[in-house]
Coordinates of all heavy atoms in Angstrom, one line a residue:
L1 N 1.4 12.6 -8.3 CA 0.5 13.3 -9.3 C 1.3 13.5 -10.6 O 2.4 13.9 -10.7 CB 0.1 14.7 -8.8 CG -0.5 15.7 -9.8 CD1 -1.9 15.1 -10.2 CD2 -0.7 17.1 -9.2
E2 N 0.6 13.0 -11.7 CA 1.2 13.2 -13.1 C 0.1 13.8 -13.9 O -1.0 13.3 -14.0 CB 1.6 11.8 -13.6 CG 2.7 11.2 -12.9 CD 3.1 9.8 -13.5 OE1 2.6 9.5 -14.6 OE2 3.9 9.1 -12.9
V3 N 0.4 14.9 -14.5 CA -0.5 15.7 -15.4 C -0.2 15.4 -16.8 O 0.9 15.5 -17.3 CB -0.4 17.2 -15.1 CG1 -1.4 17.9 -16.1 CG2 -0.8 17.5 -13.7
G4 N -1.3 14.9 -17.6 CA -1.1 14.6 -19.0 C -1.9 15.5 -19.8 O -2.2 16.6 -19.4
D5 N -2.3 15.1 -21.0 CA -3.1 15.9 -21.9 C -4.6 15.8 -21.6 O -5.3 14.8 -21.9 CB -2.9 15.4 -23.4 CG -3.6 16.3 -24.4 OD1 -4.0 17.4 -24.0 OD2 -3.7 15.9 -25.6
G6 N -5.1 16.7 -20.8 CA -6.5 16.7 -20.4 C -6.8 15.8 -19.2 O -8.0 15.7 -18.9
T7 N -5.8 15.2 -18.6 CA -6.1 14.3 -17.5 C -5.0 14.4 -16.5 O -3.9 15.0 -16.7 CB -6.2 12.8 -17.9 OG1 -4.9 12.4 -18.5 CG2 -7.2 12.6 -19.0
A8 N -5.3 13.9 -15.3 CA -4.3 13.8 -14.2 C -4.4 12.4 -13.6 O -5.5 11.9 -13.3 CB -4.6 14.9 -13.1
T9 N -3.3 11.8 -13.5 CA -3.2 10.5 -12.8 C -2.7 10.7 -11.4 O -1.6 11.2 -11.2 CB -2.3 9.5 -13.6 OG1 -2.8 9.4 -15.0 CG2 -2.2 8.2 -13.0
V10 N -3.4 10.2 -10.5 CA -3.2 10.4 -9.1 C -3.1 9.1 -8.3 O -4.0 8.2 -8.5 CB -4.3 11.3 -8.4 CG1 -4.0 11.5 -7.0 CG2 -4.4 12.6 -9.2
T11 N -2.0 8.9 -7.6 CA -1.9 7.8 -6.6 C -2.4 8.3 -5.3 O -1.8 9.3 -4.7 CB -0.5 7.3 -6.5 OG1 -0.1 6.8 -7.8 CG2 -0.4 6.1 -5.5
R12 N -3.4 7.7 -4.7 CA -4.0 8.1 -3.5 C -3.7 7.1 -2.3 O -3.5 5.9 -2.5 CB -5.6 8.1 -3.6 CG -6.1 8.9 -4.8 CD -7.6 8.8 -4.8 NE -8.2 9.3 -3.6 CZ -9.0 8.5 -2.8 NH1 -9.3 7.3 -3.1 NH2 -9.5 9.0 -1.7
E13 N -3.6 7.7 -1.2 CA -3.4 6.9 0.0 C -4.7 6.6 0.7 O -5.5 7.5 1.1 CB -2.5 7.7 1.0 CG -1.1 8.0 0.5 CD -0.1 8.2 1.5 OE1 -0.4 8.0 2.7 OE2 1.1 8.5 1.2
V14 N -5.1 5.3 0.7 CA -6.3 4.8 1.2 C -6.0 3.9 2.4 O -4.9 3.4 2.6 CB -7.2 4.2 0.1 CG1 -7.6 5.2 -0.9 CG2 -6.5 3.0 -0.5
D15 N -7.1 3.5 3.1 CA -6.9 2.6 4.2 C -6.2 1.3 3.9 O -5.4 0.8 4.7 CB -8.3 2.3 4.9 CG -8.8 3.6 5.6 OD1 -8.1 4.5 5.8 OD2 -10.1 3.6 5.8
G16 N -6.5 0.8 2.7 CA -5.9 -0.5 2.3 C -4.6 -0.4 1.6 O -4.0 -1.5 1.2
G17 N -4.1 0.8 1.4 CA -2.8 0.9 0.8 C -2.8 2.1 -0.2 O -3.0 3.2 0.2
L18 N -2.5 1.8 -1.5 CA -2.5 2.8 -2.5 C -3.5 2.5 -3.6 O -3.7 1.4 -4.0 CB -1.1 3.0 -3.1 CG 0.1 3.3 -2.1 CD1 1.4 3.3 -2.9 CD2 -0.2 4.7 -1.5
E19 N -4.1 3.6 -4.1 CA -5.0 3.5 -5.2 C -4.6 4.5 -6.3 O -4.4 5.7 -6.0 CB -6.4 3.8 -4.7 CG -7.5 3.8 -5.8 CD -8.8 4.3 -5.3 OE1 -8.9 5.4 -4.8 OE2 -9.8 3.5 -5.5
T20 N -4.5 4.1 -7.5 CA -4.2 5.0 -8.7 C -5.4 5.2 -9.5 O -6.0 4.2 -10.0 CB -3.0 4.4 -9.5 OG1 -1.9 4.2 -8.6 CG2 -2.7 5.3 -10.6
I21 N -5.8 6.4 -9.7 CA -6.9 6.8 -10.6 C -6.5 7.9 -11.6 O -5.5 8.6 -11.4 CB -8.1 7.3 -9.7 CG1 -7.7 8.6 -9.0 CG2 -8.6 6.2 -8.7 CD1 -8.9 9.2 -8.2
T22 N -7.3 8.0 -12.6 CA -7.1 9.0 -13.6 C -8.4 9.9 -13.6 O -9.5 9.3 -13.7 CB -6.9 8.5 -15.0 OG1 -5.6 7.7 -15.0 CG2 -6.7 9.6 -16.0
V23 N -8.3 11.2 -13.5 CA -9.4 12.1 -13.6 C -9.2 13.1 -14.7 O -8.1 13.4 -15.1 CB -9.5 12.9 -12.2 CG1 -9.8 11.9 -11.1 CG2 -8.3 13.7 -11.9
K24 N -10.4 13.5 -15.2 CA -10.4 14.5 -16.3 C -10.1 15.9 -15.7 O -10.6 16.2 -14.6 CB -11.7 14.5 -17.1 CG -11.9 13.2 -17.9 CD -13.2 13.3 -18.6 CE -13.4 12.0 -19.5 NZ -14.7 12.1 -20.2
L25 N -9.4 16.8 -16.4 CA -9.3 18.1 -16.0 C -10.4 19.0 -16.6 O -10.9 18.7 -17.6 CB -7.9 18.7 -16.6 CG -6.7 17.9 -16.1 CD1 -5.4 18.6 -16.7 CD2 -6.6 17.9 -14.6
P26 N -10.8 20.0 -15.9 CA -10.3 20.6 -14.6 C -10.6 19.7 -13.5 O -11.7 19.0 -13.5 CB -10.9 21.9 -14.5 CG -12.2 21.8 -15.2 CD -12.0 20.9 -16.4
A27 N -9.7 19.7 -12.5 CA -9.9 18.8 -11.3 C -9.4 19.4 -10.0 O -8.6 20.4 -10.1 CB -9.2 17.5 -11.5

């Protein structure tokens, strides 16, 4: 998890491996 200016970038563990997404805050 990395928190930036108004967003959070998250690396997720999924069945196929890893997925990195960015979501808007609040989250």
Side-chain angles (χ1 to χ4, degrees):
L1 171 63
E2 296 180 7
V3 176
D5 186 12
T7 63
T9 300
V10 180
T11 299
R12 304 179 59 239
E13 300 203 4
V14 296
D15 290 342
L18 299 176
E19 175 187 56
T20 301
I21 62 174
T22 298
V23 295
K24 293 182 179 179
L25 300 181

